[in-house]
Amino acid sequence: MTRPHSSVSPRLTVVHNEFGDGRKIFGLVSKGWPAALSSLKSYLETGCGLQPSWDEEAAKRAAAEAQ
Amino acid sequence: MTDAASFVPKTVYVTYIAAAPEQIWQALTDPAFTRHYFSGFAVDVEPRADGHFRLLYPDGRVHIAGRVLEWSPPQRFACTWVVKGMQGFDQLPECIVTYEIEQAGGSCKLTMTESHSWDVSEAILAGGRAGWPAILSSLKSLLETGNALAIAMAPPPDFMEAVARAVAEKPWLRSR
């Protein structure tokens, strides 16, 4: 949902819910949404999206889980 | 001395910024940057562990006061945080604000964590949860475009009342 939060900058709120027992999914999307929405904001403001390295993130997660 | 281990993260905000870690670090710790994106406040920080941390109104009055817990440029900055100059607010226990900056491919991941030592109510947490996204969105815009955002800010419903109730009841004394 977007709404005019001020004269200049709208606020975008994304709600992703009803996971049931999907705590693992919840953990993954909690990492994914900030990256996707940060990239959307960059794209709208500068014309260039971000290139977050999903591989680096995934490698870090795998390393953390292995410990 | 603040026992950081007794603090629990209550609000976490993550954003990715097309900037180098050093640029994000400077934006967090240099008043020439914070004046633009942090509601006009100038940061005043002694660059060392146990140094002072403040956010100042344009006229020099103190809005936030605390101590630096960790100063590890350009990766981690943590400080305690007490609101000054607003009725009752400085009787609340201090919280800890931690910024973490990590390289993530061609951009950087900035994580802000607000941690508390007591069972702070949702109504009080709502203050930070309204403010941090606005402040950090504006920081991102400033670094990527050269312009901060103009965002109208107001305390969430019941926020001031919740602070007044907590100051009167002091629930943190019971939970210890």
Side-chain angles (χ1 to χ4, degrees), chain B residues 18 24-25 28 39 49 59 82 91 94 106-107 111 114 119 138 147:
Chain B
I24 299 172
W25 183 271
L28 294 170
S39 306
D59 65 8
V82 175
Q91 294 177 50
E94 63 189 7
S107 55
T111 304
E114 182 190 306
D119 190 18
S138 189
N147 293 304

Side-chain angles (χ1 to χ4, degrees), chain A residues 16-46:
Chain A
H16 184 165
N17 57 7
E18 308 212 2
F19 292 101
D21 292 330
R23 294 297 299 179
K24 187 168 183 189
I25 302 290
F26 174 75
L28 291 172
V29 301
S30 295
K31 293 185 167 66
W33 277 117
L37 296 173
S38 293
S39 185
L40 169 66
K41 176 171 158 68
S42 294
Y43 180 65
L44 291 173
E45 294 184 4
T46 71

Side-chain angles (χ1 to χ4, degrees), chain B residues 3-169:
Chain B
D3 175 19
S6 67
F7 285 67
V8 176
K10 297 285 187 177
T11 299
V12 179
Y13 188 83
V14 175
T15 188
Y16 290 78
I17 303 176
E22 292 79 7
Q23 292 174 293
I24 299 172
W25 183 271
Q26 186 180 10
L28 294 170
T29 57
D30 181 341
F33 284 80
T34 64
R35 278 194 195 98
H36 291 290
Y37 72 82
F38 212 127
S39 306
F41 295 117
V43 66
D44 169 26
V45 58
E46 274 183 290
R48 60 178 177 83
D50 206 38
H52 71 244
F53 170 82
R54 300 185 190 117
L55 288 176
L56 306 174
Y57 288 98
D59 65 8
R61 281 179 305 126
V62 176
H63 174 51
I64 303 292
R67 308 296 300 177
V68 177
L69 298 176
E70 184 171 352
W71 180 267
S72 306
Q75 281 106 29
R76 249 176 97 84
F77 171 39
C79 60
T80 60
W81 188 278
V82 175
V83 178
K84 297 287 187 185
M86 291 172 70
Q87 181 70 39
F89 275 67
D90 62 1
Q91 294 177 50
L92 293 176
E94 63 189 7
C95 70
I96 295 178
V97 171
T98 303
Y99 298 109
E100 190 169 17
I101 303 166
E102 300 164 88
Q103 195 77 47
S107 55
C108 277
K109 179 182 183 183
L110 170 63
T111 304
M112 186 296 305
T113 304
E114 182 190 306
S115 303
H116 294 261
S117 61
W118 58 293
D119 190 18
V120 56
S121 69
E122 291 292 308
I124 292 178
L125 289 171
R129 288 172 184 170
W132 285 116
I135 288 158
L136 297 174
S137 291
S138 189
L139 181 160
K140 174 174 159 71
S141 294
L142 178 62
L143 287 174
E144 293 185 1
T145 72
N147 293 304
L149 301 178
I151 299 176
M153 300 280 292
D158 196 39
F159 174 70
M160 305 299 278
E161 294 82 355
V163 170
R165 271 199 305 278
V167 167
E169 296 169 8

